[in-house]
Amino acid sequence: DDINKISKAAKIMERMVNQNTFDDIAQDFKYFEDASDEYRDQEGTLLPLWKFQYDKTKRLAVTAISWNPKYKDLFAVGYGSYDFMKQGQGMLLLYTMKNPSFPEYVFSSESGIMCLDFHNDHPYLVAVGFYDGNVAIYNLKKATCQPSYKSSAKSGKHTEPVWQVKWQKDDMDNNLNFFSVSSDGRIVSWTLVKNELVHTDVIKLSVEGTTMQGPEGLQLQTLGCGTSFDFHKKIDYLFLVGTEEGKIYKCSKCYSSQFLDVFEAHHMAVDSVSWNPYHLKVFISCSSDWTVKIWDHTIKAPMFIYDLNSAVGDVAWSPYSSTVFAAVTTDGKAHVFDLSINKYEALCTQLVVAKKKNKITHIQFNPVYPVVIIGDERGHVTSLKLSPNLRRMPKEKKGQEVKKGPEVEIAKLEKLLNLVREPESKE
């Protein structure tokens, strides 16, 4: 107990010292608004704030980042490598913006971490997917550096890297449940039953029309490689899966053998796919083929296509506006779009990492503050503040109460989509 009291006091002291050391950045985070923004309607900027780095992760790439759903200053970072020739150990760190100099939690793993996800109702639980095909659950409440639960070859682990994990609602018996997607073509549901992970294969991704001739005339089905997926925010059974071939499958948890729809989305691997948080029909995808595409899931062709002149590593919708999203490209740039201001190009394209040998890998919006965090291949995470014109809220009209909330956001995006669906009438 005495040690606990001392460590708590030391933590508070460390945060106070850091706040003094980084006082200018803390002031920028709280108060800085660029006055010249008022005169730059079509152009925004990202103001660099804190940089998070740790000695032991210098040679590792940031492979996953996620904000904690309860503590809005806390985020988790997964470290591994995207180079299959240089695989080694991985790390899971949790940082807070209150102390940029040192992580709050440090976990090391035998295999590189590829993805992670916080549980919405139990923010101390982190699901993690590894390069060796295993999945695990870390419990931040337990004072141990080992995961509380981990899959094994016996319990149906993946045979290829796990590219994404997502928590789902608890099952009928109130057991914790999450899904994983991997290059081995399996989408697996993991349920925590009596202190062990039980797996169920939800879908096997098969590539249509590609049966291989095996030995003695056997027909072998080629498996598709899943690279990313996302579950619908409202329709519980519906989810999207991006693949290495560039296709996006619309799937249901109820059917394991067939897809609801297939989108011929990209020419190369789909790096990220994500439903819009406001509009029920809209999702976004990005790929190594340099493009970001916005889709209506009831229509086979994309609504918007943006070519960003470099492979797009990640894309994220903003939590505060249905028309704002950000993408990061391997040439070290972050691009922020607001479709309600400019449908054709980004409001902000900014270099975030300058070195030639470095690449940006991931981006995430903070759920509350106007801040994004960006991870790169050198193991650094940079936080940046969005300028006011990159976080526009619905405008007040004279004499009217300002309407805020999901209805306004849905209407805003719907208006844009209608313009695209109906070709502009000839004058």
Side-chain angles (χ1 to χ4, degrees):
D1 281 1
D2 290 346
I3 290 170
N4 271 347
K5 282 178 188 169
I6 292 166
S7 70
K8 197 174 179 184
K11 185 181 272 190
I12 292 166
M13 285 301 295
E14 185 181 25
R15 287 183 178 185
M16 285 164 73
V17 169
N18 267 306
Q19 201 159 351
N20 284 338
T21 313
F22 296 103
D23 181 57
D24 50 344
I25 297 179
Q27 297 294 335
D28 281 352
F29 166 68
K30 274 186 169 177
Y31 305 114
F32 182 77
E33 303 294 3
D34 193 345
S36 64
D37 267 351
E38 289 180 28
Y39 309 100
R40 284 192 308 219
D41 200 31
Q42 298 279 320
E43 200 181 333
T45 52
L46 295 169
L47 174 75
L49 296 172
W50 299 278
K51 199 169 195 176
F52 301 86
Q53 56 195 75
Y54 182 57
D55 281 351
K56 291 182 181 171
T57 60
K58 269 182 184 168
R59 289 191 174 83
L60 298 173
V62 173
T63 50
I65 41 182
S66 179
W67 288 99
N68 190 288
K70 186 178 178 186
Y71 300 101
K72 308 301 181 192
D73 57 287
L74 189 71
F75 61 92
V77 188
Y79 294 88
S81 172
Y82 286 122
D83 185 344
F84 72 95
M85 299 294 283
K86 291 180 184 169
Q87 285 304 320
Q89 284 192 316
M91 286 196 99
L92 169 65
L93 302 183
L94 275 92
Y95 279 107
T96 168
M97 295 199 291
K98 293 173 182 170
N99 179 7
S101 65
F102 201 80
E104 294 287 299
Y105 296 87
V106 179
F107 302 97
S108 54
S109 59
E110 292 163 23
S111 177
I113 288 174
M114 288 287 121
C115 52
L116 56 89
D117 191 32
F118 276 112
H119 196 292
N120 220 23
D121 304 325
H122 309 290
Y124 51 87
L125 292 179
V126 189
V128 172
F130 297 98
Y131 189 86
D132 63 6
N134 274 311
V135 293
I137 298 175
Y138 285 88
N139 187 340
L140 305 179
K141 282 186 172 180
K142 292 188 176 171
T144 168
C145 55
Q146 292 305 314
S148 302
Y149 309 97
K150 193 173 180 184
S151 63
S152 63
K154 216 194 294 184
S155 68
K157 82 174 188 76
H158 290 283
T159 53
E160 298 270 336
V162 181
W163 293 113
Q164 211 156 3
V165 286
K166 288 257 188 205
W167 285 103
Q168 291 299 293
K169 286 178 185 164
D170 296 357
D171 71 1
M172 298 293 199
D173 303 323
N174 288 341
N175 294 319
L176 293 169
N177 172 246
F178 69 93
F179 276 54
S180 62
V181 66
S182 161
S183 306
D184 65 4
R186 290 162 62 217
I187 291 163
V188 179
S189 167
W190 300 89
T191 312
L192 203 57
V193 184
K194 293 178 182 167
N195 286 349
E196 62 172 339
L197 282 174
V198 177
H199 83 287
T200 314
D201 281 19
V202 182
I203 272 185
K204 276 195 170 70
L205 297 171
S206 57
V207 183
E208 289 169 18
T210 53
T211 45
M212 274 177 14
Q213 197 73 26
E216 296 175 15
L218 281 170
Q219 291 291 310
L220 296 176
Q221 187 73 39
T222 316
L223 288 177
C225 299
T227 52
S228 55
F229 67 162
D230 195 25
F231 290 86
H232 200 281
K233 310 286 184 273
K234 293 278 186 330
I235 308 167
D236 190 50
Y237 63 84
L238 194 64
F239 65 101
L240 297 165
V241 184
T243 61
E244 215 166 272
E245 302 84 58
K247 289 179 180 170
I248 294 174
Y249 296 103
K250 186 164 73 170
C251 308
S252 164
K253 290 182 191 174
C254 311
Y255 304 115
S256 59
S257 56
Q258 64 193 73
F259 313 118
L260 303 178
D261 217 337
V262 182
F263 300 90
E264 299 287 343
H266 294 278
H267 304 302
M268 290 173 76
V270 179
D271 291 318
S272 179
V273 61
S274 171
W275 290 101
N276 187 289
Y278 292 98
H279 200 293
L280 298 180
K281 285 185 176 179
V282 177
F283 69 90
I284 196 166
S285 65
C286 74
S287 164
S288 309
D289 70 1
W290 297 14
T291 61
V292 170
K293 297 184 182 183
I294 295 175
W295 306 77
D296 175 328
H297 82 81
T298 58
I299 298 171
K300 281 291 187 80
M303 293 289 190
F304 296 97
I305 301 175
Y306 298 100
D307 188 332
L308 300 183
N309 293 325
S310 191
V312 188
D314 196 12
V315 69
W317 289 108
S318 82
Y320 52 81
S321 169
S322 64
T323 55
V324 175
F325 66 92
V328 287
T329 45
T330 49
D331 58 358
K333 288 176 183 167
H335 310 257
V336 186
F337 289 78
D338 187 344
L339 302 176
S340 64
I341 296 174
N342 188 336
K343 298 200 293 277
Y344 304 105
E345 50 194 32
L347 293 192
C348 170
T349 296
Q350 192 168 316
L351 200 65
V352 178
V353 295
K355 285 182 182 162
K356 283 272 191 287
K357 288 181 182 174
N358 201 353
K359 289 176 186 169
I360 302 184
T361 54
H362 287 280
I363 184 165
Q364 280 285 319
F365 281 88
N366 185 292
V368 181
Y369 307 115
V371 168
V372 289
I373 45 174
I374 291 175
D376 62 39
E377 284 201 332
R378 292 280 174 92
H380 298 160
V381 177
T382 313
S383 56
L384 302 108
K385 185 176 181 179
L386 299 154
S387 62
N389 45 15
L390 297 180
R391 46 183 152 105
R392 288 263 168 86
M393 295 299 205
K395 284 182 183 172
E396 284 186 50
K397 287 185 181 168
K398 282 184 183 174
Q400 279 187 349
E401 240 184 283
V402 64
K403 284 184 178 176
K404 285 188 179 172
E407 297 81 15
V408 178
E409 292 303 332
I410 292 166
K412 200 163 72 171
L413 191 52
E414 187 59 38
K415 191 176 166 189
L416 272 165
L417 295 179
N418 286 338
L419 285 173
V420 179
R421 286 182 194 128
E422 298 160 16
E424 290 172 20
S425 57
K426 291 173 184 172
E427 287 179 12

